[in-house]
Amino acid sequence: MSLAVAPPVADARLRLGLRAGLGIFVLLLGIMPLLNLLPVTHPLHVSDFLVSVTGKWICYAILALSLDLAWGYAGILSLGHGAFFALGGYAMGMHLMRLIGPRGVYGHPVLPDFMVFLGYQELPWYWLGFDSFPFAMLMVLLVPGMLALIVGFLSFRSRITGVYLSILTQAMTFALMLAFFRNDMGFGGNNGFTDFKELLGFALNTSAARAGLFYASLVALVLSFLICLRLTRSKYGRVLTAIRDAESRVRFLGYNTTSHKLFAFVLSAMLAGLAGALYVPQVGIINPGEFSPANSIEAVIWVAVGGRGTLVGAVLGAFTVNGLKTWLTSAAPDLWLFVLGALFVAVTLFLPKGLIGLIKGRVQ
Amino acid sequence: MSEGRRLYLDGVSVVFDGFRALNNLSLIVEPGELRSVIGPNGAGKTTMMDVITGKTRPTAGKVLFGETDLTRMDEAGIANLGIGRKFQKPTMFDALTVFENLELALKAPRGPIACLRWKLNGEARTRIEQTMAEIGLTERAQDLAGILSHGQRQWLEIGMLLMQDPELLLVDEPVAGMTDSETEHTAALLVRIAGRRSVVVVEHDLEFVRALGRRVTVLCDGSVLSEGSIDHVQNDQRVIEVYLGR
């Protein structure tokens, strides 16, 4: 399981190069919405489609970073990270639903359409407060964080690791998916939430709002990266890698590994929730399909392809695989799932350290 | 009454599926004592270490460290009380450098936040450097532990044990795979450590145990067969039968 290797000096130079590359990449992303403003005939014009799809990928990259923190560093292979992403998305969705106000099809002043349709007389208690943006943002972080705290505490304390933990997290997201499909949960059943109107006073269907969400996501990605960097370069990060490679040895050194893993897992879930919250207003819909186990597994593949245990790798993987997906699902839609499967097998067999490992190999 | 005992095992038994790995084992280690534990394979040496360090819960019996009951604590809690352990197969973190391995072992607050805020100060650096000098790995400070030779790994793990600054060191086969001069060096180091701390050494190598020259406990079938100086146990008829004679 150990991911170790290259002498640290060459490693540091490479790391610097990768980080410079990432900086340039972020700058390029940053000017995309500006290029979108150019006239359509201009050679540097970037289409609305490309801007909106890139906005989604940025959110995926945050999810990949969060998964990498849990898996690549702490060795917690979560196959349910999509659940944290979806919960963050639902929290944001609830806020967006409340902001629709009387503009719904049924024109009810408070209740969202689906509640009127299902015969609700008043808002369920857990919908209270979501009309406030700060409260909704707090929930975006707290709800996934609390779930991770509970699931993590129970499983880490009982020393459930490896495959068993992966199956457990997979079951967690599957159970949530089934629950969210039920109409009487009060989250819109299988239709979920959609038809959002505005956020922070900006109409969502304008290009200004799209650009705003794009930049918010980009800032969130940079901040998440810096947080993860700060964490993984500290002694705490080294404790995590030590736990990943030899957990029981870390215990004999006097570290309570449960609390260390829990800290990483909860933080990771919060980042995933943030990614989901930024994703939902950009795609305009959230439904229980986001909890689908396949989504969580795809996220694992992004990280594996990019190179787990390296932050740049997680970001690179998210963009590469999703870029490939967007291209292939329009060029040859039937092929995508086979390609995704083949990609995972190929990376596992030939590129255990992912694309980053490949780059490192070339440099040395 | 606890005066004069660091570690106190009384009537400890461990039963795995009907097999008695430890059978009514009693052992007292005094502060500053260096104790060697020998015995044939399956005598219960490693299980005894597991019980002391919280890896295995005893089926019956008392395990006290000073006045503290160890049977109710987990590995991390016991380690923080001041009990350090070196494993039979040297175990460390291969993806980290020699320096980083020692830094992780260094006695310091162990919580996630404390680790996040940790800054390597001059005092800590000096301690790590002293330890690296002591275990002869100064030149290898920035090398990953994964590329060290077997003997160097043994040394690194002993170094990690020293960084923990424990009151009691449990050392499982420290000289396996070492050359003669390395073995001598290790014996000298362990003798130097004892005095300030208690050390329990499990070894197969009788020459090494002789070099340590202290009290020896012979385990057999999960309990103490004989105890005393190396000459005493080597002349004990029962010991010769089960162990030395073969």
Side-chain angles (χ1 to χ4, degrees):
Chain A
M1 280 301 279
S2 165
L3 297 172
V5 262
V9 184
D11 223 31
R13 262 178 44 219
L14 183 70
R15 205 179 282 153
L16 213 66
L18 285 174
R19 225 166 283 156
L22 193 72
I24 294 167
F25 182 62
V26 168
L27 279 181
L28 285 178
L29 287 178
I31 59 171
M32 276 184 78
L34 300 176
L35 295 178
N36 176 243
L37 299 176
L38 292 170
V40 183
T41 50
H42 196 285
L44 287 177
H45 173 79
V46 171
S47 70
D48 287 356
F49 171 73
L50 195 57
V51 173
S52 74
V53 87
T54 309
K56 272 172 55 179
W57 295 345
I58 295 175
C59 299
Y60 288 151
I62 299 173
L63 175 60
L65 269 180
S66 80
L67 184 62
D68 194 27
L69 183 65
W71 181 35
Y73 288 90
I76 304 162
L77 174 50
S78 165
L79 291 181
H81 248 52
F84 303 126
F85 181 85
L87 285 172
Y90 264 94
M92 176 58 105
M94 287 165 83
H95 177 60
L96 294 168
M97 290 304 271
R98 291 296 307 273
L99 291 183
I100 294 172
R103 284 169 292 180
V105 177
Y106 295 107
H108 192 285
V110 177
L111 295 186
D113 280 347
F114 78 87
M115 288 191 191
V116 179
F117 180 73
L118 292 172
Y120 279 69
Q121 295 306 311
E122 55 179 9
L123 272 184
W125 62 268
Y126 47 83
W127 273 75
L128 298 175
F130 275 94
D131 51 332
S132 145
F133 180 75
F135 177 82
M137 289 305 100
L138 196 63
M139 290 299 131
V140 159
L141 300 177
L142 280 188
V143 173
M146 282 303 293
L147 178 66
L149 187 70
I150 295 165
V151 171
F153 177 74
L154 294 175
S155 39
F156 302 152
R157 192 194 52 170
S158 314
R159 302 198 176 172
I160 295 171
T161 56
V163 183
Y164 302 98
L165 185 70
S166 300
I167 292 170
L168 197 107
T169 52
Q170 177 101 100
M172 171 190 82
T173 195
F174 191 67
L176 281 169
M177 180 176 75
L178 297 181
F180 274 73
F181 265 124
R182 292 161 49 97
N183 280 330
D184 52 11
M185 278 283 284
F187 295 112
N190 66 347
N191 294 317
F193 309 144
T194 187
D195 219 8
F196 308 131
K197 305 289 188 213
E198 58 166 67
L199 179 60
L200 292 171
F202 296 100
L204 284 173
N205 58 5
T206 60
S207 53
R210 274 199 299 274
L213 285 166
F214 184 98
Y215 283 122
S217 309
L218 194 57
V219 169
L221 175 61
V222 172
L223 285 180
S224 308
F225 189 87
L226 293 177
I227 290 171
C228 291
L229 193 67
R230 167 77 179 80
L231 235 63
T232 54
R233 294 284 166 266
S234 70
K235 189 168 99 174
Y236 175 66
R238 294 191 286 280
V239 173
L240 285 188
T241 45
I243 289 173
R244 177 192 72 197
D245 295 340
E247 184 170 357
S248 79
R249 188 68 185 86
V250 184
R251 284 200 199 100
F252 287 115
L253 282 183
Y255 291 91
N256 178 343
T257 57
T258 301
S259 68
H260 284 262
K261 285 163 81 177
L262 207 52
F263 187 85
F265 195 53
V266 169
L267 190 78
S268 167
M270 287 177 162
L271 286 180
L274 176 69
L278 288 160
Y279 177 83
V280 166
Q282 297 191 68
V283 297
I285 184 168
I286 172 85
N287 61 36
E290 288 299 332
F291 286 104
S292 145
N295 285 17
S296 299
I297 292 169
E298 252 187 79
V300 169
I301 298 178
W302 307 336
V303 178
V305 168
R308 72 193 152 107
T310 64
L311 299 175
V312 177
V315 175
L316 181 70
F319 278 96
T320 310
V321 178
N322 283 296
L324 195 65
K325 179 180 185 178
T326 301
W327 172 65
L328 258 185
T329 45
S330 65
D334 297 338
L335 271 184
W336 169 242
L337 280 181
F338 293 100
V339 171
L340 185 68
L343 199 62
F344 191 53
V345 173
V347 165
T348 312
L349 288 179
F350 307 114
L351 283 179
K353 288 165 203 150
L355 292 171
I356 289 292
L358 191 70
I359 296 169
K360 276 186 185 169
R362 279 286 143 80
V363 172
Q364 283 146 11
Chain B
M1 74 177 196
S2 71
E3 293 277 316
R5 69 179 199 213
R6 181 70 275 177
L7 181 69
Y8 179 75
L9 274 68
D10 185 27
V12 175
S13 294
V14 172
V15 182
F16 298 121
D17 293 330
F19 169 68
R20 299 188 84 83
L22 290 185
N23 187 9
N24 201 20
L25 173 73
S26 298
L27 181 80
I28 294 175
V29 178
E30 289 165 16
E33 184 182 356
L34 172 56
R35 173 74 61 94
S36 305
V37 175
I38 60 173
N41 281 328
K45 303 183 298 278
T46 300
T47 307
M48 180 188 81
M49 296 248 186
D50 286 347
V51 165
I52 298 168
T53 54
K55 192 178 176 194
T56 302
R57 294 256 175 271
T59 316
K62 265 202 253 181
V63 184
L64 298 179
F65 179 66
E67 289 293 298
T68 315
D69 181 2
L70 298 182
T71 59
R72 297 173 182 281
M73 303 182 67
D74 67 1
E75 298 97 316
I78 291 171
N80 285 327
L81 274 183
I83 297 182
R85 177 174 185 183
K86 195 200 111 27
F87 290 76
Q88 191 171 344
K89 176 172 172 278
T91 316
M92 62 226 33
F93 313 115
D94 294 352
L96 301 178
T97 64
V98 168
F99 189 93
E100 288 168 340
N101 267 281
L102 293 171
E103 187 192 18
L104 276 200
L106 177 66
K107 192 172 187 175
R110 297 295 206 218
I113 305 289
C115 290
L116 199 50
R117 289 194 174 156
W118 165 259
K119 284 214 170 55
L120 187 69
N121 58 28
E123 191 189 335
R125 180 176 290 279
T126 310
R127 273 212 58 201
I128 295 173
E129 280 165 358
Q130 280 169 352
T131 303
M132 286 194 301
E134 182 136 48
I135 58 177
L137 291 176
T138 306
E139 303 288 303
R140 311 299 301 266
Q142 297 306 320
D143 286 342
L144 294 173
I147 62 173
L148 297 180
S149 71
H150 183 78
Q152 287 169 327
R153 290 169 70 81
Q154 291 278 33
W155 278 106
L156 178 53
E157 208 184 16
I158 293 171
M160 288 166 72
L161 206 52
L162 295 175
M163 297 308 299
Q164 279 178 264
D165 196 20
E167 288 179 53
L168 171 66
L169 288 81
L170 302 174
V171 189
D172 205 346
E173 300 203 15
V175 296
M178 282 191 179
T179 62
D180 288 350
S181 73
E182 284 173 333
T183 302
E184 264 172 48
H185 189 164
T186 309
L189 179 63
L190 290 175
V191 168
R192 199 151 15 112
I193 292 167
R196 277 176 297 151
R197 316 154 207 260
S198 308
V199 182
V200 174
V201 182
V202 165
E203 240 327 316
H204 271 303
D205 185 340
L206 280 181
E207 281 315 302
F208 179 70
V209 171
R210 186 172 282 284
L212 292 178
R214 304 291 177 85
R215 202 173 170 82
V216 180
T217 297
V218 184
L219 291 192
C220 184
D221 296 331
S223 42
V224 176
L225 186 69
S226 177
E227 203 167 273
S229 69
I230 181 79
D231 290 323
H232 169 81
V233 301
Q234 272 186 320
N235 292 320
D236 186 323
Q237 204 52 43
R238 291 167 305 170
V239 176
I240 294 168
E241 266 169 36
V242 304
Y243 185 49
L244 303 166
R246 286 185 213 170

